[in-house]
Amino acid sequence: LFASLHQDRLRSDAARLDVMTTEAETSIRQRLTLFEDVLRGGVGLLSATEHVTRTAWQAYAKALRLSERYPGVLGIGVIFPVRAEDLERFLAGTRADGAPDFMIRAASDSHGPPAAGPGERFVITYVEPSATNRPALGLDIAAEASRRIAAEMSRDTGEPRLTGRITLVQDAQRRAGSLLLMPIYRADAPLETIAERRAAFVAWIYSPLVTG
């Protein structure tokens, strides 16, 4: 009798766990889809014009009311790829666009091996709200493996990608975090192959996320 009751309890617990897991997975998928929709709006903005100023990006991010409408999203920003030969021109242009003290630096945290070689930099150039995301401004996400891998996969596939677990530099609570990245391409450029997507690539829209 005891063995029978024990087995019934085990089966009941397993069924309850399956339900809880399914509900959690559904909730996570729905939340990530909502976050992706936020990024798609930014993609549309940058795709519609050759250049978006820092002031324009601030106005766009403010209109989203992120803290009110999207819990867990710490901000929204733009990451530009910068080749070594374009570095000085990029810095000069960024500093002239409302960020006179702008500097590029590497991510100091890592849960994996460092990215190989200096190569091209992937620089967080805009991120709002600026008051809470200032530590992330100028971060070269190509200098850390988890961030770089997600960015390259997003660029090459044309799809949003989530990094592995990272510690966000702007999160004083040191919670489990990640970056959700979505690629932007030149308007009307062919995007059928990886080579075409790389040739047409402009930047990433991204959001830093924390889990609670």
Side-chain angles (χ1 to χ4, degrees):
L1 178 61
F2 174 80
S4 176
L5 291 173
H6 180 62
Q7 290 300 319
D8 286 345
R9 179 60 183 268
L10 290 179
R11 283 191 291 269
S12 175
D13 286 349
R16 183 167 177 267
L17 180 60
D18 285 343
V19 171
M20 292 173 63
T21 302
T22 300
E23 290 176 348
E25 289 175 347
T26 301
S27 178
I28 290 169
R29 288 194 188 98
Q30 290 173 344
R31 182 63 61 86
L32 285 175
T33 299
L34 184 64
F35 294 165
E36 288 175 14
D37 290 342
V38 175
L39 297 189
R40 291 186 196 282
V43 170
L45 176 66
L46 268 77
S47 298
T49 180
E50 292 184 1
H51 178 67
V52 173
T53 65
R54 188 173 302 277
T55 301
W57 186 256
Q58 289 170 346
Y60 170 74
K62 184 177 181 179
L64 291 174
R65 305 205 320 263
L66 291 173
S67 60
E68 300 173 31
R69 300 172 61 187
Y70 305 102
V73 176
L74 297 189
I76 185 169
V78 184
I79 300 171
F80 287 102
V82 183
R83 296 175 300 181
E85 60 268 30
D86 298 328
L87 183 58
E88 292 304 319
R89 184 168 65 252
F90 171 80
L91 285 172
T94 303
R95 289 167 181 167
D97 185 28
D101 300 322
F102 187 86
M103 297 289 292
I104 297 177
R105 53 201 172 73
S108 59
D109 73 293
S110 175
H111 292 279
E120 191 174 37
R121 300 170 189 256
F122 302 161
V123 183
I124 297 177
T125 309
Y126 302 151
V127 58
E128 295 293 332
S130 58
T132 53
N133 286 284
R134 194 172 303 279
L137 190 65
L139 203 70
D140 173 19
I141 70 165
E144 188 271 319
S146 179
R147 292 171 170 88
R148 183 182 189 109
I149 289 169
E152 290 176 336
M153 288 180 63
S154 176
R155 176 198 62 195
D156 290 351
T157 63
E159 298 294 332
R161 284 292 182 272
L162 196 67
T163 67
R165 176 177 173 169
I166 60 175
T167 302
L168 299 170
V169 295
Q170 66 267 56
D171 183 26
Q173 298 179 51
R174 313 291 288 178
R175 292 166 289 184
S178 58
L179 303 182
L180 180 63
L181 302 109
M182 186 171 292
I184 306 169
Y185 304 100
R186 291 196 312 274
D188 301 324
L191 302 174
E192 295 300 318
T193 66
I194 290 178
E196 288 175 343
R197 288 190 284 272
R198 288 180 179 179
F201 181 72
V202 175
W204 294 271
I205 298 290
Y206 92 102
S207 278
L209 314 176
V210 291
T211 57

